[in-house]
């Protein structure tokens, strides 16, 4: 699971628990200027993931790490699709972050309020 916070002009994502091991990352810091928006999207896990490098993908269990699809890099950390949030990015290493969070609605509100 991921914890999403706002720290000044940055969006900070902290990967919690064993997900650090599966995703091969412990945190990401993204300038808010490069965040386009956030949406709760439980159906996102049905999408093609692309090529995993590096990361973990056990269908129906966990998708975590960096995936390459159609020339884009997407960072995933999802076990429970009902708690998935998608963060759209611009001018960053990743084009999207697909994260499992405790409360998707609250996370989307947090990000959208910070972007205003």
């Amino acid at each position: 699971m991921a914890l999403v916070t706002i720290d000044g002009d940055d969006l900070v994502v902290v990967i919690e628990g064993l997900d650090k091991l599966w995703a091969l990352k412990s945190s990401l810091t993204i300038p808010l200027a490069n965040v386009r928006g956030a949406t709760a999207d439980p159906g996102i896990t049905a999408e093609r993931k692309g090529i995993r490098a590096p990361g973990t993908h056990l269908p129906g269990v966990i998708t975590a790490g960096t995936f390459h699809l159609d020339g884009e890099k997407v960072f995933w950390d999802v076990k429970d699709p009902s708690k998935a949030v998608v963060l759209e990015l611009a001018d960053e290493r990743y084009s999207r972050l697909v994260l499992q969070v405790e409360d998707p609605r609250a996370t989307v509100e947090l990000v959208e309020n910070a972007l205003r």
Side-chain angles (χ1 to χ4, degrees):
M1 187 171 311
L3 176 63
V4 178
T5 59
I6 305 298
D7 183 14
D9 290 334
D10 293 326
L11 178 130
V12 178
V13 177
V14 176
I15 309 302
E16 299 181 315
L18 286 176
D19 288 13
K20 292 178 199 178
L21 175 66
W22 310 128
L24 301 171
K25 262 208 200 309
S26 60
S27 67
L28 296 159
T29 301
I30 311 289
L32 281 171
N34 294 349
V35 179
R36 289 181 169 163
T39 55
D41 188 353
I44 189 82
T45 58
E47 283 188 9
R48 278 185 33 228
K49 311 301 184 283
I51 298 170
R52 173 179 41 109
T56 304
H57 180 62
L58 297 170
V61 178
I62 187 170
T63 304
T66 301
F67 290 76
H68 303 263
L69 180 64
D70 299 330
E72 294 184 336
K73 281 187 190 179
V74 179
F75 179 81
W76 287 78
D77 181 25
V78 177
K79 289 187 236 170
D80 180 356
S82 70
K83 295 186 175 192
V85 169
V86 180
L87 302 172
E88 297 288 340
L89 307 177
D91 301 322
E92 284 293 323
R93 176 179 178 193
Y94 297 105
S95 60
R96 290 186 297 171
L97 307 178
V98 183
L99 307 168
Q100 177 181 324
V101 295
E102 184 66 36
D103 185 343
R105 280 185 41 206
T107 300
V108 169
E109 286 179 26
L110 173 75
V111 173
E112 292 297 325
N113 286 339
L115 294 177
R116 290 188 194 132

